Amino acid sequence: MNESQFLFVCCQAGAEQALKDELARNRPELRFAYSRPGFVTFKLPPESAAGDYAELPSVFARTHGFSLGKVQGFDAAKLAEQAWELVASHPAIGKPIRQIHVWQRDERLPGDDGFEPGPTALSEEVGRLL
């Protein structure tokens, strides 16, 4: 049984609907929950196990995983502290956590005024602190 209720999926900003349509066909048990540009969450069925979603059949997904929650702000040390608080309060504590994804949502669409998606200085600093 999976302790997280939500699967997060990151995609290119603007591809959210294509991602939702694709997963509705390929993984119909997932129920759309929330989206922002470049970020979509799906509610997992209660009987799901962590290994059920190790592979996600999607050409639109950049990365995916189980959601622990969200942190906000602009101070790397405070963001890292918030992230550790989420980890500590999660039911999976005591089990190995192999990876924590750290990223900042894309500010604009790729190509908009020369914008290219990728890691930001803030996300790299938070990752280093974690």
Side-chain angles (χ1 to χ4, degrees), residues 3-22:
E3 290 84 2
S4 179
Q5 295 181 358
F6 295 94
L7 180 77
F8 74 83
V9 184
C10 297
C11 63
Q12 178 174 305
E16 300 82 15
Q17 189 60 53
L19 172 73
K20 290 188 273 186
D21 293 345
E22 179 183 48

Side-chain angles (χ1 to χ4, degrees), residues 52-114:
D52 294 346
Y53 300 96
E55 297 294 323
L56 196 64
S58 173
V59 298
F60 297 102
R62 286 181 175 167
T63 191
H64 71 283
F66 299 109
S67 179
L68 296 177
K70 171 182 169 180
V71 299
Q72 291 184 178
F74 298 100
D75 179 274
K78 288 181 182 175
L79 290 168
E81 182 179 328
Q82 290 175 41
W84 281 123
E85 288 170 3
L86 284 173
V87 169
S89 67
H90 196 267
I93 200 65
K95 296 179 183 177
I97 295 177
R98 294 188 195 119
Q99 294 179 336
I100 296 180
H101 290 278
V102 177
W103 74 94
Q104 205 168 346
R105 282 196 313 257
D106 293 345
E107 298 171 2
R108 313 184 276 283
L109 292 174
D112 182 25
D113 197 26

